[in-house]
Amino acid sequence: MLRTHTCGELRLDHVGQTVTLTGWVQRTRDAGGISWIVLRDRYGLTQLALEEGVESAEVREQARHLGREFVLSVTGQVAERYSKNDKLPTGDIEIRVEKLTVLNPAKLPPFLIEDETDGGDDLRMKYRYLDLRRNPVRQNLMLRHQMAQAVRRFLDGQQFIEVETPVLIKSTPEGARDFVVPSRMNPGEFYALPQSPQTFKQLLMVSGFDRYFQIVKCFRDEDLRADRQPEFTQIDCEMAFVEQEDILNTFESLVQYLFKEVKGLDIGKLPRMTYADAMRLYGNDKPDTRFDMHFVELNDVVKGQGFPVFDNAELIVGINAHTCAHYTRKQLDELTEFVKKPQVGATGLVYARVDADGNVKSSVDKFYSPEELQKWSAALGANPGDLLLVLAGPAHKTRKAMSELRLEMGQRLCLRDKNDFSPLWVVDFPLLEYIEEEGRYFAMHHPFTSPKPEDMALLDNPETIGQVRANAYDMVINGVEVGGGSIRIHDRAVQARMFSLLGFSDEEAKAQFGFLLDAFEYGAPPHGGIAFGFDRLCSLFGGADSIRDFIAFPKNNSGRDVMIDSPSVISGAQLKELSIETKVAEKK
Ligand code: ASP
């Protein structure tokens, strides 16, 4: 090693020892007779001191020419500091420099390598290797490392085997677009990058692996948002000879273990909520249960009083924003604007304030007498000082809008603390989802998910097919879906039936999934599994909104890596070799 110690290591105990440190110049300060250099490495910061008459003139002269981020090796004696810095673990000591070697000079970095930087997003992405020198960014990646190690420790302890599955595969239908890779050796043919290792992990169960896991890259060519990346990482797991209950218990234990190991928190047993309840009470299949404010359906309470908006609505739903009766007209107008935003989608907002005496005054007093409004207040369990917010319209749309409004109110009332964790299981998802624009059913989870045996008969009737529930579950923490999975179909006939329900002809099913259907004829055990979004889980543990901060080299919102400048055009020769028309290259 070029060093004897790290920059985070030295304490008063080391005083008098001669040490060699290496690292980057964090900053320099010259006070005439004495100058200081703060040296940084991954482990911390250490102050170097150079005093006139103590350190040699040569060393002092060398120090004068240092800039930020120069890479140094320094040798000197550890000394007790005159003025100590109790914010720094090494703040009791400094190094009296005897020898200083510049291992490499550095250009002035384009932004400050400090906890608080002056660099904008784009600049930091372009120079990500410099951004990664910053403490908060490095700590995020260290958290990720810790999480990955804990996951491996736990699953290994439970007899899970880590198996790598291929990256060059064939499309798996998880509902997103595939990234494809042209095959040079098979002109005109393409591999697809896995959206998940779904079919492979199922085949591993057929092979008798019994318990599999992998911390694995997955690829989905979707429109990007703050919490999405075209390539992301899953903790992918599968178990054989299990029922839903076994999976829920095993992975509840994993998450409890992670919270304990990484955050020192006991999260206790995870509550379970059915999909139907989640939609009814929160309008959302990933409810943020850090706060209550659940929906109350008001159809029976408010209809029939001559207010056409309510009388004509499929659903009227309210929430009680505790203690918000003091909201000003301006604040209520803001909320009305909020619900009318296209992403939220409501046409208007009705509100009612409960005053200190319990009297209710609403924005629709013209239609509702004080006695009628008391019924609203009772239905929503209101107390003096509460504000009731009501939306009406088509059921699905209205629930979605109310869910947004609920989250907004939770935010305004500071009920969504990043240090609070409220995990739960959402269970009993519908098997199928009807997509209006496509005019057909789609698998809500994926086509390999098993219907609940007790709902099988409902599959026979087109009227009831939408009601079939699946043995499918999501783990939700603070309104974020961190994991999801299902018990799988392991019977060839059921799987073939499922493909046909999803609109695959026999030939198409065979062409795409023949290998799986075949495998099911060679002794497939009952099995099921789950996959966690690892980046999301890390960002949640780290108290951040974006997963980007927890990925070493992420892509930006347009799916670009601005540091290596990718994607990029490839040469005509490369295209030709891949038997791809060269139009793209010519255009550029
Ligand atoms: N493959 C699924 C997904 O990526 C997870 C699972 O069913 O295990 O969502």
Side-chain angles (χ1 to χ4, degrees):
M1 293 293 288
L2 298 179
R3 64 184 176 210
T4 58
H5 295 81
T6 70
C7 294
E9 205 177 334
L10 298 170
R11 302 285 184 273
L12 280 177
D13 289 351
H14 298 92
V15 168
Q17 286 185 27
T18 297
V19 298
T20 300
L21 299 185
T22 51
W24 288 262
V25 173
Q26 177 78 30
R27 66 188 90 93
T28 55
R29 192 152 60 89
D30 196 340
I34 180 157
S35 61
W36 294 275
I37 303 165
V38 176
L39 198 65
R40 179 192 71 239
D41 66 10
R42 178 189 137 186
Y43 306 91
L45 301 169
T46 298
Q47 177 165 296
L48 318 175
L50 301 105
E51 200 173 345
E52 205 173 315
V54 179
E55 276 74 33
S56 74
E58 188 197 340
V59 168
R60 285 177 50 75
E61 180 55 25
Q62 265 180 310
R64 214 157 280 140
H65 297 103
L66 298 176
R68 277 178 181 267
E69 303 307 315
F70 273 45
V71 188
L72 305 187
S73 161
V74 289
T75 301
Q77 249 196 28
V78 184
E80 183 167 0
R81 271 210 220 179
Y82 303 118
S83 62
K84 302 201 163 62
N85 178 352
D86 57 13
K87 288 195 198 77
L88 216 58
T90 61
D92 286 346
I93 57 95
E94 60 191 10
I95 311 295
R96 315 294 323 204
V97 182
E98 285 151 27
K99 187 166 167 245
L100 188 156
T101 313
V102 174
L103 298 175
N104 214 342
K107 286 209 313 204
L108 189 69
F111 51 84
L112 281 176
I113 316 276
E114 304 267 1
D115 288 7
E116 296 293 334
T117 178
D118 55 352
D121 260 4
D122 289 348
L123 202 58
R124 289 194 290 120
M125 289 279 251
K126 185 162 159 52
Y127 297 93
R128 183 66 170 171
Y129 50 89
L130 295 180
D131 202 25
L132 288 171
R133 281 188 195 162
R134 297 195 309 118
N135 222 1
V137 189
R138 192 185 49 248
Q139 264 164 11
N140 288 344
L141 289 179
M142 284 170 55
L143 174 84
R144 187 185 175 106
H145 163 78
Q146 238 188 321
M147 302 268 291
Q149 299 315 308
V151 166
R152 290 209 162 88
R153 231 173 10 251
F154 179 86
L155 293 175
D156 179 53
Q158 303 280 323
Q159 269 74 55
F160 281 79
I161 301 171
E162 188 166 6
V163 183
E164 288 171 86
T165 52
V167 172
L168 295 176
I169 63 164
K170 170 165 151 168
S171 129
T172 42
E174 304 274 353
R177 239 172 264 119
D178 288 315
F179 281 102
V180 294
V181 179
S183 163
R184 178 184 56 82
M185 286 191 290
N186 303 277
E189 294 187 328
F190 294 80
Y191 300 100
L193 303 183
Q195 295 186 33
S196 91
Q198 184 61 35
T199 48
F200 289 97
K201 65 174 173 174
Q202 291 192 239
L203 293 174
L204 287 171
M205 295 304 108
V206 178
S207 307
F209 276 72
D210 196 70
R211 292 179 168 209
Y212 140 94
F213 88 100
Q214 187 181 188
I215 299 183
V216 61
K217 271 289 173 73
C218 301
F219 307 84
R220 293 184 192 176
D221 189 2
E222 289 175 305
D223 295 334
L224 305 175
R225 295 196 307 245
D227 60 344
R228 283 216 184 127
Q229 284 275 313
E231 54 176 299
F232 60 98
T233 304
Q234 287 192 338
I235 310 169
D236 191 46
C237 310
E238 196 77 4
M239 301 170 83
F241 302 112
V242 286
E243 293 176 327
Q244 171 167 307
E245 196 58 30
D246 304 303
I247 305 259
L248 298 189
N249 288 332
T250 305
F251 293 98
E252 180 160 331
S253 302
L254 167 67
V255 170
Q256 286 165 338
Y257 179 79
L258 288 177
F259 270 104
K260 186 82 208 160
E261 286 284 293
V262 179
K263 301 214 64 102
L265 288 176
D266 269 314
I267 52 161
K269 216 168 153 42
L270 266 62
R272 297 185 189 177
M273 191 183 296
T274 62
Y275 171 86
D277 280 348
M279 294 310 286
R280 189 171 55 81
L281 296 171
Y282 299 96
N284 199 323
D285 59 5
K286 36 181 193 295
D288 184 345
T289 50
R290 276 173 296 184
F291 65 107
D292 195 8
M293 208 188 282
H294 61 72
F295 294 9
V296 176
E297 296 186 2
L298 296 169
N299 289 30
D300 295 343
V301 181
V302 302
K303 280 202 183 223
Q305 299 296 315
F307 179 40
V309 174
F310 284 178
D311 286 350
N312 300 331
E314 185 186 357
L315 177 74
I316 304 111
V317 64
I319 53 172
N320 179 353
H322 286 299
T323 72
C324 291
H326 64 275
Y327 264 37
T328 59
R329 185 57 209 244
K330 183 161 166 272
Q331 283 172 301
L332 291 163
D333 285 348
E334 263 170 34
L335 289 181
T336 308
E337 286 313 307
F338 174 85
V339 298
K340 284 165 124 178
K341 284 199 298 194
Q343 315 87 289
V344 179
T347 45
L349 172 70
V350 170
Y351 54 83
R353 295 185 174 98
V354 187
D355 73 15
D357 301 320
N359 298 318
V360 186
K361 278 202 74 59
S362 79
S363 56
V364 287
D365 275 359
K366 207 161 75 180
F367 298 99
Y368 293 90
S369 65
E371 294 74 41
E372 284 299 323
L373 290 174
Q374 282 303 324
K375 294 187 191 160
W376 297 25
S377 167
L380 281 151
N383 289 311
D386 288 351
L387 172 71
L388 314 179
L389 300 171
V390 183
L391 296 178
H396 184 71
K397 223 174 136 193
T398 305
R399 286 202 177 96
K400 185 176 162 287
M402 189 52 114
S403 169
E404 296 294 336
L405 179 59
R406 175 182 173 272
L407 292 173
E408 171 69 18
M409 291 311 296
Q411 199 71 36
R412 286 174 181 241
L413 290 166
C414 303
L415 301 171
R416 303 176 71 193
D417 184 342
K418 286 191 163 52
N419 298 312
D420 262 0
F421 294 97
S422 180
L424 76 151
W425 288 110
V426 177
V427 296
D428 296 354
F429 273 80
L431 180 72
L432 302 164
E433 178 179 34
Y434 193 75
I435 306 282
E436 209 71 57
E437 301 89 70
E438 306 275 341
R440 71 168 180 90
Y441 280 103
F442 281 78
M444 194 141 180
H445 186 52
H446 52 50
F448 316 109
T449 295
S450 168
K452 278 193 182 289
E454 61 268 35
D455 287 2
M456 272 309 236
L458 300 173
L459 276 176
D460 298 331
N461 182 345
E463 295 286 305
T464 55
I465 202 166
Q467 296 164 24
V468 177
R469 291 165 308 158
N471 272 325
Y473 31 79
D474 276 354
M475 187 185 284
V476 176
I477 306 181
N478 296 0
V480 177
E481 179 202 324
V482 296
S486 60
I487 296 296
R488 326 298 184 189
I489 297 167
H490 65 280
D491 178 279
R492 187 191 207 281
V494 178
Q495 187 64 71
R497 171 120 193 264
M498 187 69 188
F499 285 139
S500 112
L501 279 176
L502 296 174
F504 287 76
S505 68
D506 279 355
E507 293 69 41
E508 284 166 342
K510 255 209 191 93
Q512 268 208 51
F513 300 111
F515 61 97
L516 188 72
L517 292 167
D518 286 349
F520 284 176
E521 291 188 299
Y522 290 96
H527 60 287
I530 191 166
F532 289 91
F534 186 54
D535 314 282
R536 276 193 201 175
L537 204 57
C538 292
S539 72
L540 200 83
F541 271 59
D545 293 323
S546 168
I547 63 172
R548 236 199 252 176
D549 302 337
F550 293 80
I551 296 174
F553 297 103
K555 312 247 183 305
N556 74 5
N557 279 348
S558 332
R560 298 199 68 83
D561 182 324
V562 292
M563 183 182 67
I564 60 171
D565 192 22
S566 165
S568 58
V569 288
I570 56 174
S571 72
Q574 256 177 311
L575 286 171
K576 200 159 166 225
E577 203 170 51
L578 295 166
S579 318
I580 294 178
E581 292 283 331
T582 54
K583 281 205 186 84
V584 191
E586 281 162 14
K587 206 175 92 192
K588 293 263 169 175

